[in-house]
Amino acid sequence: MHASDIEGDLTEVLVTESEIHAKLAELARRIEADYEGRDLLLVGVLKGAVMVMADLARELRPHLNMDWMAVSSYGAGTQSSGVVKILKDLDTDLTGRDVLIVEDIIDSGLTLSWLLENLRSRGAASVEVCALLRKPDAAKVEVDVRYLGFDIPNQFVVGYGLDYAERYRNLRDVAILAPHVYS
Ligand code: IMP
Ligand code: MG
């Protein structure tokens, strides 16, 4: 789905598909250098990180493993509740592993700081974060993000995996959702 297909639902395209791909290539080169000679485990956070994971993983040239977790912090609304629930846990034992959490967006930071603590308690050798987007003005807790794509304004965005009420995930770009859609 292109932004032009749903023009009336969006107020602005913030990051285009090609900007995303260029940025992921840049991050992939840094990740390759930092993890040289180590066995990397990418942990994707469902469902929003599916697109980031798919494109980042294919951009990375060495062998790697992928696993998935599903957590929920939002329900169907647009405001973080701070309540994190594991809907699907990892299949992989993290003992001694170098883990890179792959996230779509850091909003309040509550989900990720909870996840970091949870994964670190499982005996991993290292746990770092790669996030495509971050809203600095929405931060309630500081999260140390090693690999960041873009800082964006504190607005509700959709596309490239990000949803509103389970829609818009298949939009190619990241765009601000028009308020009339959710009010
Ligand atoms: P946090 O706990 O407030 O940082 O929220 C993290 C999760 O909320 C993300 O992984 C997204 O799934 C969701 N989220 C936060 N902001 C947005 C947004 O602007 N659009 C869509 N989903 C969002
Ligand atoms: Mg998410």
Side-chain angles (χ1 to χ4, degrees):
M1 173 190 273
H2 294 87
S4 57
D5 297 323
I6 50 163
E7 234 167 17
D9 288 6
L10 309 172
T11 54
E12 192 191 336
V13 173
L14 279 185
V15 195
T16 65
E17 182 180 25
S18 68
E19 288 169 335
I20 293 169
H21 287 147
K23 181 64 77 175
L24 290 180
E26 195 185 305
L27 295 179
R29 299 294 86 77
R30 284 178 49 204
I31 293 168
E32 287 168 358
D34 293 351
Y35 288 89
E36 205 188 335
R38 285 148 74 191
D39 266 333
L40 185 59
L41 172 66
L42 299 182
V43 169
V45 185
L46 294 170
K47 307 168 197 167
V50 163
M51 307 297 179
V52 194
M53 181 72 138
D55 287 336
L56 177 68
R58 285 180 294 182
E59 188 59 46
L60 286 164
R61 290 173 293 204
H63 284 295
L64 52 79
N65 297 152
M66 284 185 237
D67 203 348
W68 299 93
M69 263 183 102
V71 300
S72 100
S73 65
Y74 261 35
T78 61
Q79 284 258 300
S80 192
S81 65
V83 179
V84 179
K85 198 169 94 184
I86 295 184
L87 304 175
K88 185 228 169 279
D89 207 344
L90 299 171
D91 299 325
T92 313
D93 177 4
L94 296 191
T95 311
R97 298 301 305 264
D98 287 304
V99 177
L100 182 59
I101 301 174
V102 176
E103 255 288 30
D104 47 4
I105 190 167
I106 304 173
D107 187 16
S108 68
L110 292 168
T111 308
L112 203 50
S113 68
W114 182 91
L115 201 59
L116 268 169
E117 198 169 314
N118 182 286
L119 297 192
R120 283 190 171 130
S121 74
R122 303 187 194 191
S126 68
V127 185
E128 298 293 345
V129 176
C130 175
L132 180 68
L133 305 166
R134 179 175 64 182
K135 297 180 191 170
D137 299 337
K140 288 188 182 141
V141 286
E142 285 307 317
V143 182
D144 188 21
V145 189
R146 174 73 62 91
Y147 308 98
L148 176 68
F150 304 91
D151 274 325
I152 60 168
N154 191 8
Q155 306 234 39
F156 195 78
V157 295
V158 293
Y160 200 70
L162 289 159
D163 74 306
Y164 170 67
E166 297 299 330
R167 299 175 76 182
Y168 305 100
R169 294 192 196 275
N170 58 324
L171 172 61
R172 289 170 177 270
D173 315 294
V174 172
I176 298 175
L177 189 63
H180 75 79
V181 177
Y182 55 84
S183 56

PDB file of all heavy atoms in Angstrom, residues 91-126:
ATOM      1  N   ASP A  91      11.552 -18.884  21.616  1.00  0.00           N
ATOM      2  CA  ASP A  91      11.828 -20.325  21.581  1.00  0.00           C
ATOM      3  C   ASP A  91      13.280 -20.590  21.982  1.00  0.00           C
ATOM      4  O   ASP A  91      13.656 -21.724  22.274  1.00  0.00           O
ATOM      5  CB  ASP A  91      11.626 -20.879  20.162  1.00  0.00           C
ATOM      6  CG  ASP A  91      10.204 -20.681  19.677  1.00  0.00           C
ATOM      7  OD1 ASP A  91       9.273 -20.769  20.507  1.00  0.00           O
ATOM      8  OD2 ASP A  91      10.028 -20.439  18.460  1.00  0.00           O
ATOM      9  N   THR A  92      14.108 -19.543  21.975  1.00  0.00           N
ATOM     10  CA  THR A  92      15.556 -19.683  22.125  1.00  0.00           C
ATOM     11  C   THR A  92      15.995 -19.481  23.566  1.00  0.00           C
ATOM     12  O   THR A  92      15.516 -18.572  24.240  1.00  0.00           O
ATOM     13  CB  THR A  92      16.259 -18.608  21.259  1.00  0.00           C
ATOM     14  OG1 THR A  92      15.676 -18.608  19.965  1.00  0.00           O
ATOM     15  CG2 THR A  92      17.742 -18.875  21.155  1.00  0.00           C
ATOM     16  N   ASP A  93      16.933 -20.346  24.016  1.00  0.00           N
ATOM     17  CA  ASP A  93      17.592 -20.149  25.306  1.00  0.00           C
ATOM     18  C   ASP A  93      18.635 -19.037  25.136  1.00  0.00           C
ATOM     19  O   ASP A  93      19.504 -19.133  24.275  1.00  0.00           O
ATOM     20  CB  ASP A  93      18.267 -21.476  25.709  1.00  0.00           C
ATOM     21  CG  ASP A  93      19.049 -21.362  27.012  1.00  0.00           C
ATOM     22  OD1 ASP A  93      19.018 -20.275  27.655  1.00  0.00           O
ATOM     23  OD2 ASP A  93      19.696 -22.354  27.395  1.00  0.00           O
ATOM     24  N   LEU A  94      18.554 -18.004  25.953  1.00  0.00           N
ATOM     25  CA  LEU A  94      19.425 -16.836  25.756  1.00  0.00           C
ATOM     26  C   LEU A  94      20.787 -16.956  26.434  1.00  0.00           C
ATOM     27  O   LEU A  94      21.641 -16.080  26.268  1.00  0.00           O
ATOM     28  CB  LEU A  94      18.735 -15.564  26.260  1.00  0.00           C
ATOM     29  CG  LEU A  94      17.466 -15.138  25.532  1.00  0.00           C
ATOM     30  CD1 LEU A  94      17.060 -13.741  25.959  1.00  0.00           C
ATOM     31  CD2 LEU A  94      17.655 -15.203  24.015  1.00  0.00           C
ATOM     32  N   THR A  95      21.009 -18.030  27.177  1.00  0.00           N
ATOM     33  CA  THR A  95      22.264 -18.173  27.919  1.00  0.00           C
ATOM     34  C   THR A  95      23.475 -17.981  27.005  1.00  0.00           C
ATOM     35  O   THR A  95      23.633 -18.690  26.015  1.00  0.00           O
ATOM     36  CB  THR A  95      22.350 -19.574  28.580  1.00  0.00           C
ATOM     37  OG1 THR A  95      21.134 -19.829  29.273  1.00  0.00           O
ATOM     38  CG2 THR A  95      23.527 -19.636  29.548  1.00  0.00           C
ATOM     39  N   GLY A  96      24.286 -16.968  27.315  1.00  0.00           N
ATOM     40  CA  GLY A  96      25.516 -16.718  26.571  1.00  0.00           C
ATOM     41  C   GLY A  96      25.331 -16.091  25.198  1.00  0.00           C
ATOM     42  O   GLY A  96      26.312 -15.899  24.477  1.00  0.00           O
ATOM     43  N   ARG A  97      24.105 -15.766  24.829  1.00  0.00           N
ATOM     44  CA  ARG A  97      23.859 -15.247  23.474  1.00  0.00           C
ATOM     45  C   ARG A  97      24.054 -13.729  23.390  1.00  0.00           C
ATOM     46  O   ARG A  97      23.829 -13.017  24.355  1.00  0.00           O
ATOM     47  CB  ARG A  97      22.412 -15.570  23.035  1.00  0.00           C
ATOM     48  CG  ARG A  97      22.084 -17.050  22.955  1.00  0.00           C
ATOM     49  CD  ARG A  97      22.970 -17.799  21.987  1.00  0.00           C
ATOM     50  NE  ARG A  97      22.977 -17.251  20.644  1.00  0.00           N
ATOM     51  CZ  ARG A  97      22.218 -17.689  19.631  1.00  0.00           C
ATOM     52  NH1 ARG A  97      21.376 -18.682  19.818  1.00  0.00           N
ATOM     53  NH2 ARG A  97      22.326 -17.139  18.441  1.00  0.00           N
ATOM     54  N   ASP A  98      24.431 -13.272  22.210  1.00  0.00           N
ATOM     55  CA  ASP A  98      24.449 -11.844  21.909  1.00  0.00           C
ATOM     56  C   ASP A  98      23.124 -11.491  21.251  1.00  0.00           C
ATOM     57  O   ASP A  98      22.856 -11.899  20.120  1.00  0.00           O
ATOM     58  CB  ASP A  98      25.625 -11.501  20.985  1.00  0.00           C
ATOM     59  CG  ASP A  98      26.950 -11.562  21.726  1.00  0.00           C
ATOM     60  OD1 ASP A  98      27.084 -10.858  22.746  1.00  0.00           O
ATOM     61  OD2 ASP A  98      27.841 -12.325  21.298  1.00  0.00           O
ATOM     62  N   VAL A  99      22.314 -10.762  21.998  1.00  0.00           N
ATOM     63  CA  VAL A  99      20.932 -10.498  21.583  1.00  0.00           C
ATOM     64  C   VAL A  99      20.780  -9.055  21.117  1.00  0.00           C
ATOM     65  O   VAL A  99      21.248  -8.123  21.775  1.00  0.00           O
ATOM     66  CB  VAL A  99      19.965 -10.739  22.772  1.00  0.00           C
ATOM     67  CG1 VAL A  99      18.529 -10.406  22.380  1.00  0.00           C
ATOM     68  CG2 VAL A  99      20.079 -12.181  23.268  1.00  0.00           C
ATOM     69  N   LEU A 100      20.135  -8.887  19.972  1.00  0.00           N
ATOM     70  CA  LEU A 100      19.785  -7.549  19.506  1.00  0.00           C
ATOM     71  C   LEU A 100      18.268  -7.486  19.341  1.00  0.00           C
ATOM     72  O   LEU A 100      17.696  -8.164  18.485  1.00  0.00           O
ATOM     73  CB  LEU A 100      20.484  -7.236  18.181  1.00  0.00           C
ATOM     74  CG  LEU A 100      20.245  -5.840  17.601  1.00  0.00           C
ATOM     75  CD1 LEU A 100      20.699  -4.735  18.556  1.00  0.00           C
ATOM     76  CD2 LEU A 100      20.951  -5.688  16.248  1.00  0.00           C
ATOM     77  N   ILE A 101      17.635  -6.699  20.198  1.00  0.00           N
ATOM     78  CA  ILE A 101      16.183  -6.524  20.111  1.00  0.00           C
ATOM     79  C   ILE A 101      15.879  -5.600  18.940  1.00  0.00           C
ATOM     80  O   ILE A 101      16.466  -4.529  18.816  1.00  0.00           O
ATOM     81  CB  ILE A 101      15.620  -5.901  21.404  1.00  0.00           C
ATOM     82  CG1 ILE A 101      15.929  -6.790  22.626  1.00  0.00           C
ATOM     83  CG2 ILE A 101      14.117  -5.678  21.280  1.00  0.00           C
ATOM     84  CD1 ILE A 101      15.512  -6.150  23.950  1.00  0.00           C
ATOM     85  N   VAL A 102      14.969  -6.023  18.076  1.00  0.00           N
ATOM     86  CA  VAL A 102      14.592  -5.216  16.918  1.00  0.00           C
ATOM     87  C   VAL A 102      13.180  -4.685  17.156  1.00  0.00           C
ATOM     88  O   VAL A 102      12.229  -5.451  17.279  1.00  0.00           O
ATOM     89  CB  VAL A 102      14.642  -6.060  15.623  1.00  0.00           C
ATOM     90  CG1 VAL A 102      14.168  -5.247  14.434  1.00  0.00           C
ATOM     91  CG2 VAL A 102      16.061  -6.574  15.393  1.00  0.00           C
ATOM     92  N   GLU A 103      13.084  -3.358  17.243  1.00  0.00           N
ATOM     93  CA  GLU A 103      11.802  -2.725  17.564  1.00  0.00           C
ATOM     94  C   GLU A 103      11.384  -1.764  16.459  1.00  0.00           C
ATOM     95  O   GLU A 103      12.226  -1.192  15.765  1.00  0.00           O
ATOM     96  CB  GLU A 103      11.917  -1.958  18.885  1.00  0.00           C
ATOM     97  CG  GLU A 103      11.248  -2.652  20.061  1.00  0.00           C
ATOM     98  CD  GLU A 103       9.717  -2.616  20.012  1.00  0.00           C
ATOM     99  OE1 GLU A 103       9.129  -2.581  18.908  1.00  0.00           O
ATOM    100  OE2 GLU A 103       9.106  -2.623  21.087  1.00  0.00           O
ATOM    101  N   ASP A 104      10.086  -1.574  16.335  1.00  0.00           N
ATOM    102  CA  ASP A 104       9.566  -0.599  15.395  1.00  0.00           C
ATOM    103  C   ASP A 104       9.719   0.815  15.948  1.00  0.00           C
ATOM    104  O   ASP A 104      10.268   1.694  15.305  1.00  0.00           O
ATOM    105  CB  ASP A 104       8.092  -0.899  15.063  1.00  0.00           C
ATOM    106  CG  ASP A 104       7.245  -1.167  16.314  1.00  0.00           C
ATOM    107  OD1 ASP A 104       7.750  -1.054  17.453  1.00  0.00           O
ATOM    108  OD2 ASP A 104       6.058  -1.490  16.162  1.00  0.00           O
ATOM    109  N   ILE A 105       9.229   1.039  17.173  1.00  0.00           N
ATOM    110  CA  ILE A 105       9.164   2.398  17.681  1.00  0.00           C
ATOM    111  C   ILE A 105       9.296   2.434  19.199  1.00  0.00           C
ATOM    112  O   ILE A 105       8.810   1.538  19.886  1.00  0.00           O
ATOM    113  CB  ILE A 105       7.843   3.072  17.230  1.00  0.00           C
ATOM    114  CG1 ILE A 105       7.841   4.570  17.521  1.00  0.00           C
ATOM    115  CG2 ILE A 105       6.637   2.380  17.856  1.00  0.00           C
ATOM    116  CD1 ILE A 105       6.707   5.317  16.808  1.00  0.00           C
ATOM    117  N   ILE A 106       9.979   3.443  19.681  1.00  0.00           N
ATOM    118  CA  ILE A 106      10.040   3.685  21.123  1.00  0.00           C
ATOM    119  C   ILE A 106       9.237   4.949  21.402  1.00  0.00           C
ATOM    120  O   ILE A 106       9.575   6.025  20.917  1.00  0.00           O
ATOM    121  CB  ILE A 106      11.486   3.868  21.598  1.00  0.00           C
ATOM    122  CG1 ILE A 106      12.319   2.658  21.198  1.00  0.00           C
ATOM    123  CG2 ILE A 106      11.518   4.069  23.109  1.00  0.00           C
ATOM    124  CD1 ILE A 106      13.800   2.835  21.476  1.00  0.00           C
ATOM    125  N   ASP A 107       8.176   4.777  22.140  1.00  0.00           N
ATOM    126  CA  ASP A 107       7.269   5.881  22.449  1.00  0.00           C
ATOM    127  C   ASP A 107       7.562   6.309  23.889  1.00  0.00           C
ATOM    128  O   ASP A 107       8.478   7.076  24.146  1.00  0.00           O
ATOM    129  CB  ASP A 107       5.839   5.380  22.228  1.00  0.00           C
ATOM    130  CG  ASP A 107       4.782   6.459  22.355  1.00  0.00           C
ATOM    131  OD1 ASP A 107       5.125   7.641  22.317  1.00  0.00           O
ATOM    132  OD2 ASP A 107       3.596   6.109  22.493  1.00  0.00           O
ATOM    133  N   SER A 108       6.838   5.776  24.859  1.00  0.00           N
ATOM    134  CA  SER A 108       7.145   6.083  26.256  1.00  0.00           C
ATOM    135  C   SER A 108       8.439   5.397  26.697  1.00  0.00           C
ATOM    136  O   SER A 108       9.082   5.832  27.640  1.00  0.00           O
ATOM    137  CB  SER A 108       6.002   5.609  27.160  1.00  0.00           C
ATOM    138  OG  SER A 108       5.936   4.196  27.169  1.00  0.00           O
ATOM    139  N   GLY A 109       8.799   4.307  26.016  1.00  0.00           N
ATOM    140  CA  GLY A 109       9.975   3.531  26.404  1.00  0.00           C
ATOM    141  C   GLY A 109       9.656   2.445  27.419  1.00  0.00           C
ATOM    142  O   GLY A 109      10.514   1.642  27.773  1.00  0.00           O
ATOM    143  N   LEU A 110       8.407   2.425  27.881  1.00  0.00           N
ATOM    144  CA  LEU A 110       8.023   1.488  28.947  1.00  0.00           C
ATOM    145  C   LEU A 110       8.130   0.035  28.497  1.00  0.00           C
ATOM    146  O   LEU A 110       8.643  -0.817  29.222  1.00  0.00           O
ATOM    147  CB  LEU A 110       6.586   1.780  29.411  1.00  0.00           C
ATOM    148  CG  LEU A 110       6.388   3.113  30.149  1.00  0.00           C
ATOM    149  CD1 LEU A 110       4.911   3.439  30.307  1.00  0.00           C
ATOM    150  CD2 LEU A 110       7.083   3.083  31.503  1.00  0.00           C
ATOM    151  N   THR A 111       7.675  -0.245  27.282  1.00  0.00           N
ATOM    152  CA  THR A 111       7.715  -1.615  26.769  1.00  0.00           C
ATOM    153  C   THR A 111       9.155  -2.111  26.689  1.00  0.00           C
ATOM    154  O   THR A 111       9.499  -3.192  27.177  1.00  0.00           O
ATOM    155  CB  THR A 111       7.095  -1.695  25.358  1.00  0.00           C
ATOM    156  OG1 THR A 111       5.798  -1.098  25.395  1.00  0.00           O
ATOM    157  CG2 THR A 111       6.982  -3.134  24.895  1.00  0.00           C
ATOM    158  N   LEU A 112       9.997  -1.291  26.097  1.00  0.00           N
ATOM    159  CA  LEU A 112      11.371  -1.702  25.853  1.00  0.00           C
ATOM    160  C   LEU A 112      12.181  -1.824  27.136  1.00  0.00           C
ATOM    161  O   LEU A 112      12.995  -2.740  27.271  1.00  0.00           O
ATOM    162  CB  LEU A 112      12.021  -0.702  24.904  1.00  0.00           C
ATOM    163  CG  LEU A 112      13.201  -1.233  24.125  1.00  0.00           C
ATOM    164  CD1 LEU A 112      12.857  -2.547  23.456  1.00  0.00           C
ATOM    165  CD2 LEU A 112      13.613  -0.203  23.095  1.00  0.00           C
ATOM    166  N   SER A 113      11.980  -0.921  28.082  1.00  0.00           N
ATOM    167  CA  SER A 113      12.785  -1.025  29.300  1.00  0.00           C
ATOM    168  C   SER A 113      12.378  -2.273  30.078  1.00  0.00           C
ATOM    169  O   SER A 113      13.224  -2.952  30.667  1.00  0.00           O
ATOM    170  CB  SER A 113      12.674   0.237  30.156  1.00  0.00           C
ATOM    171  OG  SER A 113      11.390   0.358  30.674  1.00  0.00           O
ATOM    172  N   TRP A 114      11.098  -2.602  30.003  1.00  0.00           N
ATOM    173  CA  TRP A 114      10.641  -3.843  30.627  1.00  0.00           C
ATOM    174  C   TRP A 114      11.268  -5.052  29.926  1.00  0.00           C
ATOM    175  O   TRP A 114      11.758  -5.985  30.558  1.00  0.00           O
ATOM    176  CB  TRP A 114       9.110  -3.911  30.561  1.00  0.00           C
ATOM    177  CG  TRP A 114       8.543  -5.125  31.215  1.00  0.00           C
ATOM    178  CD1 TRP A 114       8.153  -5.263  32.513  1.00  0.00           C
ATOM    179  CD2 TRP A 114       8.323  -6.401  30.595  1.00  0.00           C
ATOM    180  NE1 TRP A 114       7.702  -6.534  32.745  1.00  0.00           N
ATOM    181  CE2 TRP A 114       7.808  -7.251  31.582  1.00  0.00           C
ATOM    182  CE3 TRP A 114       8.529  -6.885  29.313  1.00  0.00           C
ATOM    183  CZ2 TRP A 114       7.472  -8.582  31.320  1.00  0.00           C
ATOM    184  CZ3 TRP A 114       8.205  -8.208  29.048  1.00  0.00           C
ATOM    185  CH2 TRP A 114       7.681  -9.039  30.046  1.00  0.00           C
ATOM    186  N   LEU A 115      11.264  -5.014  28.597  1.00  0.00           N
ATOM    187  CA  LEU A 115      11.789  -6.121  27.795  1.00  0.00           C
ATOM    188  C   LEU A 115      13.293  -6.306  28.006  1.00  0.00           C
ATOM    189  O   LEU A 115      13.789  -7.435  28.126  1.00  0.00           O
ATOM    190  CB  LEU A 115      11.507  -5.833  26.322  1.00  0.00           C
ATOM    191  CG  LEU A 115      11.513  -7.009  25.369  1.00  0.00           C
ATOM    192  CD1 LEU A 115      10.482  -8.048  25.780  1.00  0.00           C
ATOM    193  CD2 LEU A 115      11.228  -6.517  23.954  1.00  0.00           C
ATOM    194  N   LEU A 116      14.021  -5.187  28.069  1.00  0.00           N
ATOM    195  CA  LEU A 116      15.465  -5.251  28.291  1.00  0.00           C
ATOM    196  C   LEU A 116      15.782  -5.947  29.608  1.00  0.00           C
ATOM    197  O   LEU A 116      16.639  -6.818  29.678  1.00  0.00           O
ATOM    198  CB  LEU A 116      16.036  -3.830  28.329  1.00  0.00           C
ATOM    199  CG  LEU A 116      16.529  -3.261  27.004  1.00  0.00           C
ATOM    200  CD1 LEU A 116      16.803  -1.777  27.136  1.00  0.00           C
ATOM    201  CD2 LEU A 116      17.785  -3.993  26.546  1.00  0.00           C
ATOM    202  N   GLU A 117      15.066  -5.541  30.642  1.00  0.00           N
ATOM    203  CA  GLU A 117      15.296  -6.136  31.948  1.00  0.00           C
ATOM    204  C   GLU A 117      14.953  -7.628  31.931  1.00  0.00           C
ATOM    205  O   GLU A 117      15.688  -8.462  32.446  1.00  0.00           O
ATOM    206  CB  GLU A 117      14.427  -5.408  32.975  1.00  0.00           C
ATOM    207  CG  GLU A 117      14.867  -5.623  34.396  1.00  0.00           C
ATOM    208  CD  GLU A 117      14.127  -4.663  35.322  1.00  0.00           C
ATOM    209  OE1 GLU A 117      14.044  -3.451  34.980  1.00  0.00           O
ATOM    210  OE2 GLU A 117      13.616  -5.125  36.350  1.00  0.00           O
ATOM    211  N   ASN A 118      13.841  -7.944  31.272  1.00  0.00           N
ATOM    212  CA  ASN A 118      13.400  -9.332  31.187  1.00  0.00           C
ATOM    213  C   ASN A 118      14.435 -10.197  30.460  1.00  0.00           C
ATOM    214  O   ASN A 118      14.825 -11.261  30.948  1.00  0.00           O
ATOM    215  CB  ASN A 118      12.042  -9.385  30.478  1.00  0.00           C
ATOM    216  CG  ASN A 118      11.480 -10.790  30.395  1.00  0.00           C
ATOM    217  OD1 ASN A 118      11.955 -11.603  29.609  1.00  0.00           O
ATOM    218  ND2 ASN A 118      10.491 -11.081  31.241  1.00  0.00           N
ATOM    219  N   LEU A 119      14.930  -9.744  29.312  1.00  0.00           N
ATOM    220  CA  LEU A 119      15.882 -10.554  28.533  1.00  0.00           C
ATOM    221  C   LEU A 119      17.249 -10.611  29.217  1.00  0.00           C
ATOM    222  O   LEU A 119      17.932 -11.631  29.174  1.00  0.00           O
ATOM    223  CB  LEU A 119      16.009 -10.027  27.105  1.00  0.00           C
ATOM    224  CG  LEU A 119      14.726 -10.081  26.252  1.00  0.00           C
ATOM    225  CD1 LEU A 119      15.036  -9.804  24.795  1.00  0.00           C
ATOM    226  CD2 LEU A 119      13.994 -11.410  26.386  1.00  0.00           C
ATOM    227  N   ARG A 120      17.652  -9.517  29.862  1.00  0.00           N
ATOM    228  CA  ARG A 120      18.948  -9.508  30.555  1.00  0.00           C
ATOM    229  C   ARG A 120      18.956 -10.494  31.715  1.00  0.00           C
ATOM    230  O   ARG A 120      19.997 -11.058  32.048  1.00  0.00           O
ATOM    231  CB  ARG A 120      19.297  -8.103  31.049  1.00  0.00           C
ATOM    232  CG  ARG A 120      19.779  -7.232  29.903  1.00  0.00           C
ATOM    233  CD  ARG A 120      20.362  -5.906  30.365  1.00  0.00           C
ATOM    234  NE  ARG A 120      20.985  -5.238  29.222  1.00  0.00           N
ATOM    235  CZ  ARG A 120      20.770  -3.969  28.865  1.00  0.00           C
ATOM    236  NH1 ARG A 120      19.971  -3.203  29.584  1.00  0.00           N
ATOM    237  NH2 ARG A 120      21.360  -3.474  27.798  1.00  0.00           N
ATOM    238  N   SER A 121      17.804 -10.729  32.310  1.00  0.00           N
ATOM    239  CA  SER A 121      17.734 -11.651  33.447  1.00  0.00           C
ATOM    240  C   SER A 121      17.845 -13.108  33.004  1.00  0.00           C
ATOM    241  O   SER A 121      17.887 -14.011  33.829  1.00  0.00           O
ATOM    242  CB  SER A 121      16.420 -11.445  34.199  1.00  0.00           C
ATOM    243  OG  SER A 121      15.348 -11.998  33.456  1.00  0.00           O
ATOM    244  N   ARG A 122      17.904 -13.361  31.689  1.00  0.00           N
ATOM    245  CA  ARG A 122      17.965 -14.740  31.209  1.00  0.00           C
ATOM    246  C   ARG A 122      19.390 -15.203  30.893  1.00  0.00           C
ATOM    247  O   ARG A 122      19.580 -16.233  30.243  1.00  0.00           O
ATOM    248  CB  ARG A 122      17.102 -14.893  29.954  1.00  0.00           C
ATOM    249  CG  ARG A 122      15.644 -14.494  30.158  1.00  0.00           C
ATOM    250  CD  ARG A 122      14.815 -14.833  28.939  1.00  0.00           C
ATOM    251  NE  ARG A 122      13.511 -14.177  28.975  1.00  0.00           N
ATOM    252  CZ  ARG A 122      12.520 -14.483  28.141  1.00  0.00           C
ATOM    253  NH1 ARG A 122      12.694 -15.419  27.217  1.00  0.00           N
ATOM    254  NH2 ARG A 122      11.365 -13.835  28.225  1.00  0.00           N
ATOM    255  N   GLY A 123      20.390 -14.417  31.301  1.00  0.00           N
ATOM    256  CA  GLY A 123      21.770 -14.876  31.165  1.00  0.00           C
ATOM    257  C   GLY A 123      22.405 -14.644  29.809  1.00  0.00           C
ATOM    258  O   GLY A 123      23.384 -15.312  29.447  1.00  0.00           O
ATOM    259  N   ALA A 124      21.878 -13.697  29.031  1.00  0.00           N
ATOM    260  CA  ALA A 124      22.487 -13.380  27.741  1.00  0.00           C
ATOM    261  C   ALA A 124      23.859 -12.740  27.946  1.00  0.00           C
ATOM    262  O   ALA A 124      24.103 -12.088  28.963  1.00  0.00           O
ATOM    263  CB  ALA A 124      21.580 -12.423  26.964  1.00  0.00           C
ATOM    264  N   ALA A 125      24.760 -12.928  26.978  1.00  0.00           N
ATOM    265  CA  ALA A 125      26.079 -12.286  27.039  1.00  0.00           C
ATOM    266  C   ALA A 125      25.923 -10.781  26.852  1.00  0.00           C
ATOM    267  O   ALA A 125      26.620  -9.988  27.475  1.00  0.00           O
ATOM    268  CB  ALA A 125      26.996 -12.868  25.969  1.00  0.00           C
ATOM    269  N   SER A 126      25.013 -10.380  25.970  1.00  0.00           N
ATOM    270  CA  SER A 126      24.743  -8.957  25.755  1.00  0.00           C
ATOM    271  C   SER A 126      23.332  -8.791  25.224  1.00  0.00           C
ATOM    272  O   SER A 126      22.803  -9.681  24.544  1.00  0.00           O
ATOM    273  CB  SER A 126      25.743  -8.360  24.756  1.00  0.00           C
ATOM    274  OG  SER A 126      25.527  -8.898  23.462  1.00  0.00           O
TER     275      SER A 126
END
